[in-house]
């Protein structure tokens, strides 16, 4: 292998010397400028030094230490390919692509680690799981808690076993879901009274209709509906239409005392479902009015209806305000519209109440289900498949 050094006052002159000596196929390996003959290297004349070789094979491996050389290497190999044929070119392009991909994934991983710096010491598999939870909108706090549990439960080799980590993740999430408990009838006081509350437009009335259809038509139970949503004529008509189709009585009440009388009239039945008007949790007057209605009902269960299509920040605020109503269970609606389901885990963990139902579309009575905790955990971790 021949390697030579050339020195000249300018780059142009140094390159000319290389070309004259080694020919125009010579490969530049290195260039630098330095001062010569000055006192302690100062005030000397600036010289350009080029290290070059006539041997093009020197560049078979990419000289990764120097960007200029790397580019020249690829330019050189591509040039050579043009002479040698298409097949070689595609091979080298593949090589180039895989190099770039490697660099890309390294950068992404560094960025991710710096963003979540407090988990950056995790194994790659655990870090991946953590990022998966975050991607599915499990809160950062909960994601860390889950990964910490996993870290404590698994040891040594297991921490690199993807399949085992996935199974443990699902089991950990499952254990964090308080419980799944639909409405059960037949308490000692006779009629079971269920009230649905929640913010506007989440699907309370539609869910009441689905429940009424299920209990009345499928389970052959004796049901009545009561609504206090008298603010909008359309809202009463919406429920009346369902009541007529399902063939269950509907009461429309305006005050807390009317509510008491209506309940009295239907206390011989199996189930009373009470629909309430959507309330903005920010309106204190509406909230206290709703509270006085709920006190008049004395419900066996008050279900907070939440839409999965809401942001967690918003839902957090909703939960804080609706807590004043003594919530027993949660219903999640609009799972068909959600892109990720981490929100369900965040809410259930924050509120620590059972999940009664999920709803998955606008169709009455079909789009309602009691979800299996294992499936819910899978859904939270992996989304819909
Ligand atoms: N995609 C989807 N839409 C739903 C679901 N449940 C209800 N909806 C729709 O959401 C809209 C509002 O539903 P409502 O049942 O009127 O909601 P609400 O909570 O009673 O609303 P307010 O009484 O105004 O507070 C309607 O268009 C429903 O068809 C569901 O599970 N998925
Ligand atoms: Mg409604």
């Amino acid at each position: 292998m021949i390697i030579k050094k050339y020195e000249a006052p300018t780059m142009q002159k140094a390159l000319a010397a290389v070309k004259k000596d080694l020919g125009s196929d010579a490969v530049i390996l290195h260039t630098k400028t330095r001062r010569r003959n000055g006192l302690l290297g100062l005030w000397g004349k600036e010289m350009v030094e080029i290290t070059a070789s006539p041997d093009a094979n020197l560049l078979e491996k990419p000289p990764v230490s120097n960007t200029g050389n790397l580019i020249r290497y690829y330019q050189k190999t591509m040039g050579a390919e043009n002479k040698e044929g298409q097949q070689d070119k595609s091979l080298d392009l593949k090589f180039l692509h895989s190099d770039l991909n490697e660099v890309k994934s390294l950068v992404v991983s560094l960025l991710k680690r710096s963003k979540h710096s407090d988990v950056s010491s995790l194994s790659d598999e655990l870090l991946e799981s953590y990022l998966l939870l975050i991607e599915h909108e499990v809160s950062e706090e909960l994601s860390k808690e889950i990964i910490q549990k996993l870290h404590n439960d698994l040891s040594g080799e297991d921490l690199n076993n993807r399949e085992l980590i996935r199974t443990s993740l699902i089991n950990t999430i499952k254990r964090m879901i308080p419980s799944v408990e639909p409405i059960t009838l037949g308490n000692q006081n006779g009629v079971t009274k269920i009230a649905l509350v929640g913010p506007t437009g989440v699907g309370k009335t539609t869910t009441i209709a689905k429940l009424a259809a299920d209990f009345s038509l499928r389970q052959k139970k004796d049901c009545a509906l009561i609504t206090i949503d008298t603010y909008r004529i359309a809202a009463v008509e919406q429920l009346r239409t369902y009541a007529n189709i399902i063939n269950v009585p509907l009461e429309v009440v305006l005050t807390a005392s009317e509510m008491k009388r209506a309940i009295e009239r239907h206390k011989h039945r199996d189930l009373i479902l009470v629909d309430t008007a959507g309330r903005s949790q920010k309106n204190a007057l509406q909230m206290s009015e709703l509270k006085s209605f709920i006190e008049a009902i004395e419900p066996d269960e008050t279900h907070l209806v939440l839409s999965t299509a809401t942001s967690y920040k918003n839902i957090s605020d909703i939960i804080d305000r609706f807590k004043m109503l003594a919530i027993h269970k949660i219903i999640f609606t609009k799972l068909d519209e959600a892109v990720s389901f981490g929100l369900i885990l965040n809410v259930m963990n924050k509120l620590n109440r059972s999940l009664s139902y999920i709803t998955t579309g606008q169709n009455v009575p079909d789009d309602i289900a009691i979800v299996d905790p294992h499936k819910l955990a899978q859904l939270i971790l992996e989304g819909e498949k």
Side-chain angles (χ1 to χ4, degrees), residues 20-85:
K20 189 169 170 222
D21 192 27
L22 301 178
S24 50
D25 274 347
V27 174
I28 310 295
L29 298 173
H30 194 240
T31 65
K32 71 175 178 187
T33 53
R34 63 188 185 88
R35 291 186 186 279
R36 215 177 60 169
N37 296 337
L39 183 63
L40 299 172
L42 297 172
W43 303 294
K45 216 175 159 198
E46 196 167 72
M47 297 295 283
V48 175
E49 185 189 283
I50 295 183
T51 311
S53 168
D55 186 359
N57 292 335
L58 263 183
L59 291 181
E60 259 176 11
K61 293 254 178 334
V64 286
S65 59
N66 176 310
T67 328
N69 282 346
L70 187 65
I71 292 166
R72 270 193 296 282
Y73 163 76
Y74 283 119
Q75 282 169 342
K76 183 100 187 159
T77 42
M78 304 268 238
E81 285 148 17
N82 282 340
K83 284 176 219 152
E84 287 161 28

Side-chain angles (χ1 to χ4, degrees), residues 318-336:
I318 291 166
I319 290 171
D320 289 339
R321 315 254 183 158
F322 274 87
K323 261 187 189 162
M324 71 185 278
L325 298 177
I327 303 299
H328 300 93
K329 294 181 179 175
I330 310 169
I331 295 175
F332 273 104
T333 60
K334 309 196 183 184
L335 265 78
D336 54 308

Side-chain angles (χ1 to χ4, degrees), residues 66-112:
N66 176 310
T67 328
N69 282 346
L70 187 65
I71 292 166
R72 270 193 296 282
Y73 163 76
Y74 283 119
Q75 282 169 342
K76 183 100 187 159
T77 42
M78 304 268 238
E81 285 148 17
N82 282 340
K83 284 176 219 152
E84 287 161 28
Q86 278 306 110
Q87 207 174 356
D88 285 348
K89 182 176 176 176
S90 70
L91 269 179
D92 278 324
L93 277 177
K94 250 189 229 162
F95 177 47
L96 173 61
H97 276 297
S98 80
D99 268 8
L100 287 178
N101 281 340
E102 227 168 85
V103 173
K104 215 165 100 186
S105 68
L106 191 70
V107 171
V108 170
S109 146
L110 283 173
L111 280 176
K112 282 176 176 172

Side-chain angles (χ1 to χ4, degrees), residues 78-208:
M78 304 268 238
E81 285 148 17
N82 282 340
K83 284 176 219 152
E84 287 161 28
Q86 278 306 110
Q87 207 174 356
D88 285 348
K89 182 176 176 176
S90 70
L91 269 179
D92 278 324
L93 277 177
K94 250 189 229 162
F95 177 47
L96 173 61
H97 276 297
S98 80
D99 268 8
L100 287 178
N101 281 340
E102 227 168 85
V103 173
K104 215 165 100 186
S105 68
L106 191 70
V107 171
V108 170
S109 146
L110 283 173
L111 280 176
K112 282 176 176 172
R113 279 179 190 262
S114 64
K115 195 171 160 215
H116 302 278
S117 56
D118 43 350
V119 291
S120 60
S121 57
L122 295 172
S123 73
D124 279 358
E125 281 74 11
L126 279 189
L127 181 70
E128 246 172 58
S129 306
Y130 172 77
L131 294 173
L132 188 67
L133 291 167
I134 297 283
E135 193 186 318
H136 286 99
E137 286 179 31
V138 176
S139 71
E140 255 182 58
E141 201 187 336
L142 263 187
S143 301
K144 277 177 202 158
E145 200 183 315
I146 293 169
I147 296 299
Q148 188 58 51
K149 280 188 182 149
L150 227 65
H151 198 262
N152 297 344
D153 291 352
L154 302 175
S155 56
E157 275 296 284
D158 294 348
L159 285 168
N160 300 320
N161 183 334
R162 253 165 229 274
E163 201 40 47
L164 190 73
I165 286 181
R166 183 188 166 274
T167 315
S168 308
L169 260 179
I170 290 179
N171 287 334
T172 310
I173 294 174
K174 204 166 100 184
R175 283 199 299 272
M176 289 173 102
I177 298 169
S179 63
V180 174
E181 276 177 33
I183 296 169
T184 45
L185 300 186
N187 66 38
Q188 290 159 346
N189 308 325
V191 64
T192 301
K193 294 171 286 180
I194 307 288
L196 262 57
V197 297
T200 47
V202 289
K204 296 178 295 298
T205 306
T206 314
T207 307
I208 287 261

